[in-house]
């Protein structure tokens, strides 16, 4: 009996940065909820950005935001922060990359951007959430997640160099096609899902998860029925319970309908 369904958003339900979720999702999710199923939207986006995508049912579902650092699931809530000194050192490292890179520090309710990064602000504008423009990103505190952006995707050599330096102090994970995320050690979608499961007394055998990127791997591992969409990373496909159709054809919606039909 399925009791919990959790799904990534970008390139799993909608194209990266889009908020145009097929309206049929809302009705199917409501029908699943009527059968007692909990639904969780999980994303590298801040929770505010996930809520925008699920606007018609935003107050009826639960959330994992900022790649697992922020949880809002009824009375099950949690926020994990980076150490301020670690954040400032990381920010300096990212600022020393060439001008093709930008980065976005986040904390619950706030997304920060360099006030001079005009092109990057336009990219972030497609996600629908508000931005706070600052002159010096190194002076922030209580940051929960940092997302490094490169239009063509963060190159392997840059990703590996950053991971080599920071992986003993932070989680470093590919998050979609153009992002590399940094979160507090132990903060990821899988551990966030575990907290929700334990809070509600739900087992991995009663859990379904959907994803597409490497940052979804811990979450997929925490669900017996972990599905990868067709365009998912090879790493995710290798550990998935099943590879389903492409995001562009609403493969997750089709699987949700199958689950609902099995409950009739």
């Amino acid at each position: 009996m399925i009791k919990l369904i959790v799904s990534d958003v970008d390139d799993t339900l909608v194209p990266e940065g889009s908020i145009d979720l097929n309206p049929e999702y809302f009705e199917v999710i409501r029908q699943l909820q009527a059968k007692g199923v909990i639904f969780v939207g999980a994303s590298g986006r801040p929770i505010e950005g996930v809520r925008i995508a699920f606007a018609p049912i935003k107050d009826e579902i639960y959330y994992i935001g900022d790649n697992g650092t922020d949880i809002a699931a009824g009375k099950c809530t949690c926020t994990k922060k980076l150490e301020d000194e670690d954040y400032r050192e990381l920010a300096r490292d990212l600022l020393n990359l060439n001008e093709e890179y930008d980065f976005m520090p986040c904390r619950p309710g706030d997304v920060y951007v360099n006030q001079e990064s005009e092109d990057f602000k336009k990219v972030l504008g497609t996600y629908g959430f508000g931005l706070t423009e600052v002159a010096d990103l190194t002076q922030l505190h209580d940051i929960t997640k940092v997302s490094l952006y490169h239009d063509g995707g963060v190159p392997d050599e840059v990703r590996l160099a950053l991971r080599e330096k920071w992986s003993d102090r932070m989680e470093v994970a590919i998050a979609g096609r153009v992002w590399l995320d940094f979160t507090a050690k132990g903060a990821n979608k899988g551990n966030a899902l575990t907290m929700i499961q334990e809070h509600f007394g739900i087992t991995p055998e009663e859990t379904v998860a959907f994803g597409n990127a490497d940052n979804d791997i811990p979450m997929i591992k925490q669900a017996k029925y972990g599905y990868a969409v067709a365009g998912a990373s090879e790493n995710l496909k290798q550990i998935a319970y099943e590879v389903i159709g492409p995001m562009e054809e609403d493969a997750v919606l089709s699987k949700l309908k199958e689950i609902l039909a099995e409950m009739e």
Side-chain angles (χ1 to χ4, degrees):
M1 179 68 179
I2 301 303
K3 296 183 179 179
L4 191 158
I5 297 173
V6 56
S7 181
D8 173 54
V9 178
D10 290 292
D11 287 332
T12 299
L13 301 181
V14 294
E16 176 75 47
S18 172
I19 57 174
D20 297 324
L21 190 59
N22 183 335
E24 196 173 354
Y25 273 103
F26 309 133
E27 180 56 33
V28 172
I29 290 170
R30 282 184 170 132
Q31 291 178 42
L32 286 163
Q33 289 173 319
K35 300 287 187 181
V37 178
I38 292 171
F39 186 86
V40 181
S43 180
R45 303 186 191 196
I47 283 178
E48 291 76 8
V50 189
R51 287 171 65 86
I52 290 168
F54 287 95
I57 57 171
K58 61 184 174 62
D59 296 324
E60 302 170 38
I61 66 173
Y62 295 147
Y63 300 93
I64 296 171
D66 282 335
N67 227 2
T69 66
D70 195 14
I71 302 170
K75 293 182 179 180
C76 180
T77 60
C78 181
T79 301
K80 294 187 177 182
K81 297 184 247 184
L82 299 171
E83 295 292 334
D84 284 344
E85 285 305 312
D86 284 346
Y87 163 71
R88 294 186 184 110
E89 183 181 347
L90 173 64
R92 290 191 291 269
D93 283 355
L94 301 186
L95 285 169
N96 285 332
L97 296 173
N98 67 46
E99 62 184 12
E100 296 177 356
Y101 295 85
D102 277 289
F103 69 97
M104 173 182 73
C106 303
R107 61 187 179 194
D110 295 298
V111 177
Y112 297 96
V113 63
N114 187 305
Q115 63 188 23
E116 297 181 359
S117 298
E118 296 300 328
D119 290 342
F120 189 42
K121 284 186 281 186
K122 291 176 183 177
V123 171
L124 296 177
T126 65
Y127 290 79
F129 47 74
L131 302 173
T132 299
E133 300 182 25
V134 295
D136 186 357
L137 292 173
T138 67
Q139 297 306 304
L140 300 172
H141 58 86
D142 294 332
I143 295 301
T144 56
K145 185 198 71 171
V146 177
S147 292
L148 177 65
Y149 171 85
H150 186 276
D151 183 51
V154 178
D156 288 345
E157 61 271 21
V158 174
R159 173 177 56 83
L160 292 172
L162 289 168
R163 180 169 284 165
E164 181 177 359
K165 176 174 181 179
W166 288 102
S167 61
D168 61 335
R169 286 183 273 174
M170 300 180 187
E171 301 289 338
V172 184
I174 296 171
R177 294 174 289 105
V178 294
W179 302 99
L180 185 68
D181 280 1
F182 302 80
T183 56
K185 203 67 180 172
N188 58 54
K189 292 182 183 180
N191 287 338
L193 175 57
T194 299
M195 290 182 63
I196 293 174
Q197 288 169 325
E198 292 176 349
H199 178 78
F200 290 103
I202 295 171
T203 67
E205 289 74 23
E206 297 168 321
T207 304
V208 172
F210 298 95
N212 80 294
D214 283 7
N215 66 325
D216 295 317
I217 290 174
M219 181 175 76
I220 295 296
K221 286 182 174 179
Q222 192 54 30
K224 177 178 179 179
Y225 305 102
Y227 297 100
V229 293
S233 73
E234 289 305 314
N235 291 333
L236 182 62
K237 287 180 178 179
Q238 287 175 12
I239 59 96
Y241 174 81
E242 182 183 336
V243 178
I244 59 176
M247 172 273 297
E248 294 83 355
E249 296 178 8
D250 285 328
V252 174
L253 179 60
S254 297
K255 182 58 69 173
L256 294 179
K257 289 179 178 178
E258 286 181 24
I259 294 169
L260 183 61
E262 291 170 358
M263 291 182 171
E264 296 298 340

